[in-house]
């Protein structure tokens, strides 16, 4: 199923709890290797499988946009039909359509469903090195900044997973099973507290070096 990133049947069961992934924006049906690794490990996680979560990954869709530059934060569209400037989003039964619907409308639709079913958004924030200065930092994509804003408008819980790194050494690595478990642990805590805390939850995933985990 599209590189294993998305459960295509997630839309068929109204009782399914939905996880909406926020990854760096891509115009094609692709995602960065880092985001792909995270999504695959998430779907393989025992707790995620046991609880029958379903995953929506926006980069499995071919996209359209009412914003000519696609990810301009100041563009008024926030995924509602009252803000989207596309003349016809070609919704069928209220459901966004691939190729046709503005990507912001599609993403907000999934956030709304997640919120209604006590689901949530996981945002994967990647680390970028400055090769000249030998420094780096976590940088969300422009599209991810818009997705965070839409999640706030909808009232959807956000778990933000930062790519494992050691900033003092400018070391960075891909997510592994341990890191995904760090995120899932926070998800479990949220459910154990009856989903009361709706503030964004930031998880600084730990870097593995010589069998030691570094924050």
């Amino acid at each position: 199923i599209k590189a294993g990133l998305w459960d295509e049947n997630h839309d068929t069961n109204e009782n399914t709890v939905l996880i909406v992934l926020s990854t760096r924006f891509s115009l094609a049906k692709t995602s960065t290797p880092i985001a792909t690794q995270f999504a695959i490990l998430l779907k393989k996680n025992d707790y995620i499988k046991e609880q029958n979560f379903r995953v929506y990954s926006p980069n499995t869709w071919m996209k359209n946009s009412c914003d000519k530059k696609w990810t301009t934060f100041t563009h008024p569209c926030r995924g509602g039909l009252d803000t989207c400037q596309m003349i016809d989003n070609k919704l069928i039964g209220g459901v966004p359509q691939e190729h046709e619907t503005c990507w912001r409308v599609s993403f907000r639709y999934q956030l709304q469903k997640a919120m209604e079913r006590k689901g949530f958004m996981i945002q994967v924030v990647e680390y970028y090195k400055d090769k000249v200065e030998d420094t780096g930092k976590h940088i969300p994509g422009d599209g991810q900044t818009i997705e965070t804003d839409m999640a706030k408008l909808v009232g959807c819980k956000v778990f933000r997973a930062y790519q494992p790194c050691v900033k003092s050494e400018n070391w960075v690595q891909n997510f592994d099973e341990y890191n995904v478990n760090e995120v899932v642990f926070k998800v479990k805590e949220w459910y154990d507290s009856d989903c009361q805390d709706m503030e964004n939850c930031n998880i600084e995933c730990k870097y593995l070096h010589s069998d030691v985990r570094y924050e």
Side-chain angles (χ1 to χ4, degrees), residues 17-203:
V17 176
L18 186 61
I19 301 171
V20 179
L21 286 183
S22 169
T23 58
R24 289 192 72 86
F25 191 84
S26 172
L27 292 179
K29 288 187 177 182
T30 59
S31 193
T32 67
I34 295 162
T36 298
Q37 173 78 352
F38 183 92
I40 291 171
L41 289 172
L42 180 69
K43 289 187 63 179
K44 290 180 178 179
N45 182 271
D46 288 341
Y47 177 77
I48 297 301
K49 291 191 294 185
E50 288 166 5
Q51 299 300 314
N52 199 33
F53 288 105
R54 292 293 179 265
V55 178
Y56 169 76
S57 179
N59 284 340
T60 59
W61 272 53
M62 292 297 289
K63 301 177 180 70
N64 204 340
S65 180
C66 68
D67 173 13
K68 291 181 179 180
K69 295 185 178 179
W70 291 83
T71 56
T72 307
F73 185 80
T74 55
H75 189 279
C77 181
R78 285 300 180 268
L81 296 182
D82 58 333
T83 62
C84 185
Q85 297 183 358
M86 190 168 286
I87 296 173
D88 183 5
N89 268 287
K90 299 188 183 300
L91 305 182
I92 298 178
V95 179
Q97 301 300 303
E98 189 168 14
H99 294 282
E100 305 289 349
T101 305
C102 175
W103 74 266
R104 303 186 197 209
V105 173
S106 297
F107 198 87
R108 182 161 177 160
Y109 170 82
Q110 300 298 340
L111 286 173
Q112 183 69 35
K113 286 201 309 177
M115 184 275 293
E116 291 170 355
R117 304 177 193 177
K118 288 192 174 180
F120 49 89
M121 182 174 97
I122 296 180
Q123 186 167 81
V124 179
V125 184
E126 300 181 23
Y127 184 88
Y128 287 86
K129 289 185 176 184
D130 185 325
K131 295 180 180 179
V132 176
E133 299 293 334
D134 195 29
T135 59
K137 60 183 177 179
H138 290 99
I139 305 174
D142 293 340
Q144 289 182 291
T145 304
I146 296 167
E147 289 163 355
T148 299
D149 199 41
M150 288 194 287
K152 181 179 180 180
L153 291 171
V154 168
C156 185
K157 176 71 173 181
V158 176
F159 295 90
R160 188 172 289 118
Y162 289 91
Q163 186 179 359
C165 68
V166 179
K167 292 181 180 178
S168 61
E169 302 293 338
N170 206 23
W171 295 344
V172 62
Q173 63 188 198
N174 208 338
F175 293 94
D176 60 16
E177 185 177 350
Y178 180 97
N179 301 138
V180 171
N181 278 326
E182 290 181 286
V183 178
V184 170
F185 177 78
K186 293 296 184 181
V187 171
K188 288 180 182 178
E189 282 190 332
W190 186 59
Y191 279 112
D192 289 343
S193 66
D194 198 26
C195 308
Q196 293 298 310
D197 182 5
M198 295 304 294
E199 294 295 320
N200 293 347
C201 177
N202 296 322
I203 303 114

